[in-house]
Amino acid sequence: MNTFMQFIDTHCHLDFDEFKVDFQNHVYRANKLGIHGFVVPGITFKQSQTLLSFKQHKPGVYIAFGLHPYFMAEHQDGDFEQLKRLAIEHREQLVAIGECGIDTSIADIEKQQALFVEHIKLANELSLPLIVHHRQSHHLIMQAFKQVQPKWGGVIHAFSGSLQQAQAYIKLGFKLGVGSTITYERANKTKQALAQVPLDSLVLETDAPSMPLAGYQGQVNLPERLKAVFDCLVAIRSESESEIAEQVYVSSCSLFKI
């Protein structure tokens, strides 16, 4: 294996129940493919709290705190203030703020927008990047960024969109999360965008156990499948395999200060 063929899964929910029974084997199989780092985002206040103990004695696991827009119905009044206090107290344990963002399949868009803005402010206060979730909401994400400009960039998780949208995020200091989307033939717009943006604007992710790759629909997504995502990225880029591997690894380490 090329010396540069090492990877970080920049978005992986390793703490979810799907991985509890066979956790060590999942990590072992990923490690064998060169995947030695895993960024595990927060989704609720309670779950963010549990990440502090989850990461203990797990080399290569890095964590973020956030309130995911998909779980708006679970978030209670006061959860963000508690999350903020927890993040300030445990700042040195964190590599990012998120998962946060706006999801138009979920109600309370105005509430989502307000909550997202609070995440941006917190990330700025703590000098941390953001992990941003979007679903048909690029325009709303950009509105929030105009309201409060993020100072430390972050990742646009599971990027799917046009070259113009990609360039707008990159201009604000964001990386684009390259995941299972590019394994599907129909994702031409996204693949064209990811083929043309600067290589140093890309990082790899699985979103395991969600977002299965083409050919694995209906199955639990696994962190080891990051290598298949990488292979699909290599297929659409002009650079060599080793150059791509080295750059996405360096970009991931730089962004999250790993």
Side-chain angles (χ1 to χ4, degrees):
M1 183 178 282
N2 187 292
T3 54
F4 293 128
M5 295 284 279
Q6 51 187 330
F7 304 99
I8 293 172
D9 187 343
T10 62
H11 196 114
C12 181
H13 298 280
L14 272 183
D15 61 318
F16 280 19
D17 288 346
E18 287 90 339
F19 300 121
K20 277 185 179 175
V21 174
D22 208 19
F23 182 85
Q24 293 300 336
N25 276 330
H26 285 301
V27 171
Y28 174 74
R29 288 196 296 271
N31 289 168
K32 282 191 73 174
L33 294 171
I35 306 154
H36 292 282
F38 309 89
V39 177
V40 181
I43 57 170
T44 65
F45 171 62
K46 286 183 179 178
Q47 177 264 357
S48 291
Q49 278 183 301
T50 66
L51 289 177
L52 291 167
S53 57
F54 176 78
K55 79 181 289 288
Q56 289 184 350
H57 314 301
K58 291 185 177 68
V61 169
Y62 306 92
I63 63 170
F65 286 170
L67 302 182
H68 194 305
Y70 190 78
F71 300 96
M72 287 300 291
E74 292 183 34
H75 303 328
Q76 303 294 312
D77 290 342
D79 275 5
F80 184 79
E81 286 307 312
Q82 291 189 79
L83 184 92
K84 181 177 180 178
R85 284 195 292 270
L86 194 71
I88 292 169
E89 182 182 353
H90 297 282
R91 164 64 181 82
E92 298 307 312
Q93 302 281 329
L94 305 180
V95 296
I97 294 298
E99 184 170 355
C100 57
I102 301 172
D103 189 317
T104 58
S105 74
I106 303 299
D108 293 324
I109 295 295
E110 285 187 15
K111 198 171 178 181
Q112 287 189 52
Q113 190 104 357
L115 183 60
F116 182 40
V117 165
E118 290 305 311
H119 281 84
I120 301 170
K121 290 177 182 176
L122 178 59
N124 286 349
E125 182 180 338
L126 298 182
S127 305
L128 287 169
L130 288 156
I131 297 173
V132 180
H133 171 95
H134 65 89
R135 186 174 296 177
Q136 298 182 324
S137 58
H138 289 306
H139 61 299
L140 298 173
I141 300 287
M142 279 300 180
Q143 282 178 24
F145 286 166
K146 285 177 181 175
Q147 192 174 339
V148 177
Q149 184 168 339
K151 296 177 182 176
W152 300 94
V155 178
I156 305 302
H157 162 52
F159 175 78
S160 60
S162 67
L163 178 60
Q164 184 180 13
Q165 288 166 332
Q167 290 169 334
Y169 286 127
I170 293 166
K171 192 175 180 180
L172 287 170
F174 281 81
K175 309 293 185 191
L176 308 177
V178 181
S180 66
T181 300
I182 66 165
T183 69
Y184 289 88
E185 285 187 22
R186 65 178 183 271
N188 288 324
K189 182 175 69 172
T190 298
K191 286 193 276 193
Q192 286 171 12
L194 295 176
Q196 294 178 70
V197 295
L199 180 59
D200 66 3
S201 66
L202 304 177
V203 294
L204 298 172
E205 60 178 35
T206 61
D207 199 25
S210 302
M211 296 189 71
L213 282 62
Y216 296 97
Q217 293 95 320
Q219 298 181 32
V220 170
N221 195 10
L222 304 174
E224 66 198 62
R225 295 194 181 132
L226 190 77
K227 181 60 169 59
V229 173
F230 169 73
D231 292 341
C232 287
L233 180 62
V234 169
I236 64 172
R237 295 289 306 192
S238 60
E239 301 90 351
S240 70
E241 182 180 64
S242 60
E243 186 179 352
I244 295 169
E246 179 180 11
Q247 185 58 64
V248 294
Y249 181 76
V250 167
S251 294
S252 302
C253 292
S254 174
L255 178 66
F256 293 115
K257 295 184 171 54
I258 291 172

